[in-house]
Amino acid sequence: MNKIIYYIQFLASFIIAQTISMWGQFYTLKYPNISMFKAFLMAIPFAWLDWFFMTIAVGLGHKHNLVSETQDIFLLIITQFIVVLLINHFFLKQLLSRSDIIAFFVILVAFAISFSSLVSRLMGIPIPKKVKKNEKEEVEHKHKGDPDDDLAKRLGLD
């Protein structure tokens, strides 16, 4: 049950961060004669807020081993894609095309395949276990400087 709460917190902060980021990038489009400096001044608060919420999301994701780095990127793409479609439709008043909708579902399928390790399972490829950073550092520190351990690894005996 705890993991569900972490996923909700992770997704909420991730979606908030990316929504703020995309809005900040599109916000100045309604002002075609704005100077570069003024556009920067308008956009920088959005970047700060994005950084704040994304730091929370990535921290939760890595601390509680919720998603891999690749899944972070897929989620980033999905979230930005949705927000851009919403901004295009409601703010810029542009129509959605059939290709936009198909592309969205292709991205969702790719995320589902990655998250479930579907292809690896079907092909019998071993799925690497997610190791927390602290555990990885402990293992590396434990074996650091042991020449017999290095020799065994090079010879494939470990």
Side-chain angles (χ1 to χ4, degrees):
M1 185 67 175
N2 246 354
K3 201 108 169 165
I4 292 172
I5 292 170
Y6 292 135
Y7 273 113
I8 291 169
Q9 291 173 338
F10 168 77
L11 287 172
S13 57
F14 201 99
I15 291 168
I16 289 168
Q18 289 312 300
T19 301
I20 290 168
S21 174
M22 291 296 98
W23 182 251
Q25 292 177 43
F26 279 80
Y27 184 71
T28 59
L29 290 180
K30 287 278 186 164
Y31 306 101
N33 297 325
I34 195 170
S35 71
M36 188 67 98
F37 183 69
K38 228 176 201 174
F40 172 78
L41 290 177
M42 290 172 79
I44 201 68
F46 293 100
W48 287 337
L49 284 170
D50 170 44
W51 170 81
F52 176 77
F53 284 105
M54 189 54 85
T55 301
I56 293 171
V58 170
L60 283 167
H62 291 290
K63 181 179 179 184
H64 302 290
N65 213 18
L66 301 177
V67 293
S68 70
E69 288 82 5
T70 303
Q71 291 161 353
D72 270 336
I73 294 168
F74 272 126
L75 191 56
L76 182 82
I77 293 167
I78 291 168
T79 307
Q80 287 184 354
F81 194 88
I82 291 169
V83 173
V84 166
L85 289 178
L86 291 172
I87 290 171
N88 276 339
H89 184 71
F90 292 109
F91 184 65
L92 300 176
K93 308 292 185 208
Q94 294 179 1
L95 296 176
L96 295 177
S97 71
R98 187 175 298 154
S99 296
D100 294 332
I101 296 166
I102 292 170
F104 173 70
F105 284 107
V106 168
I107 293 169
L108 283 181
V109 169
F111 182 78
I113 290 170
S114 173
F115 193 76
S116 67
S117 302
L118 181 66
V119 173
S120 297
R121 291 180 200 277
L122 289 175
M123 296 180 74
I125 299 170
I127 301 166
K129 184 179 175 184
K130 294 180 186 176
V131 179
K132 290 184 180 178
K133 190 175 181 179
N134 295 347
E135 293 172 3
K136 187 177 179 182
E137 289 172 356
E138 285 178 22
V139 170
E140 289 173 355
H141 181 68
K142 181 178 161 185
H143 295 291
K144 190 175 183 178
D146 185 356
D148 293 333
D149 188 45
D150 291 338
L151 180 60
K153 281 183 184 177
R154 281 186 273 147
L155 295 174
L157 302 173
D158 61 319

